[in-house]
Amino acid sequence: MTTTTVDGRLDLPRRSGDRPRTREHNPHQQLSQIAPPDLQEELWSRMTTLDGVLLGRTGVSLPDTRALHLRPTLATGPGQAYLAGTEFAHLHGHDDGSLHMCLPNDVVTQTVQQGWAELHPMARQGFLPGTLVMVYGPRDHEELDIIWRLVRISHHFARGSATA
């Protein structure tokens, strides 16, 4: 369940340390502070349990990227909730460990401000929706839980639901 504060904002803690280095163009990748493979696999394992999700190849990223697609009958969110088709999130390969996902605008703002994500370069340039972010890979189990929460918010956004 999403925890909110009195003013309705997500109660996201500040991500510790500096932001990782990332590539400023496509392919948009995380270049430092790479998530340990075991945490990437634990996150993927959780991601595969989401209701109505089809696992598959991404339509927009590198070949080693694993994607989550919503069953078409459940994909009732707005167009800006998807990367391509019904793909709403994907996890990059082990050499990267970050994720691209679509989040509601207010969540994007908070997630970026708290150091958990950055806008996709094409979103910054206005070519893609401002809902598309790269969430940095988890460095520990506490971060894994926060990123898992963001994945669930993305899932609910794609399903047209207000809460996660």
Side-chain angles (χ1 to χ4, degrees):
M1 188 53 94
T2 302
T3 306
T4 57
T5 61
V6 174
D7 66 359
R9 290 174 51 90
L10 287 174
D11 188 19
L12 283 178
R14 179 96 184 130
R15 184 179 180 274
S16 67
D18 295 330
R19 289 180 185 270
R21 285 185 307 104
T22 59
R23 184 167 285 133
E24 289 297 317
H25 53 78
N26 287 341
H28 189 212
Q29 296 174 288
Q30 183 172 329
L31 303 173
S32 66
Q33 302 179 30
I34 306 302
D38 62 313
L39 291 179
Q40 293 180 43
E41 290 307 313
E42 186 173 340
L43 178 59
W44 180 249
S45 179
R46 292 181 189 189
M47 292 167 72
T48 66
T49 68
L50 291 168
D51 186 49
V53 167
L54 301 169
L55 310 179
R57 296 181 60 90
T58 179
V60 293
S61 193
L62 298 171
D64 61 348
T65 299
R66 296 174 282 182
L68 298 178
H69 304 265
L70 255 185
R71 292 188 184 282
T73 57
L74 299 176
T76 59
Q80 64 267 27
Y82 306 98
L83 287 81
T86 63
E87 180 181 345
F88 65 93
H90 61 235
L91 176 63
H92 295 131
H94 284 175
D95 291 340
D96 179 332
S98 66
L99 304 91
H100 278 118
M101 66 181 73
C102 295
L103 295 167
N105 285 317
D106 60 332
V107 177
V108 167
T109 300
Q110 295 168 58
T111 305
V112 170
Q113 285 176 346
Q114 292 300 93
W116 293 99
E118 62 185 55
L119 279 176
H120 189 286
M122 299 293 282
R124 279 195 301 271
Q125 296 171 18
F127 295 111
L128 294 173
T131 56
L132 177 56
V133 295
M134 180 168 72
V135 174
Y136 309 128
R139 298 173 291 183
D140 58 36
H141 280 90
E142 185 176 310
E143 289 189 3
L144 174 71
D145 289 340
I146 291 166
I147 293 163
W148 169 230
R149 187 169 144 207
L150 294 171
V151 170
R152 292 192 323 266
I153 292 169
S154 179
H155 177 247
H156 281 266
F157 185 40
R159 290 191 66 168
S161 177
T163 61

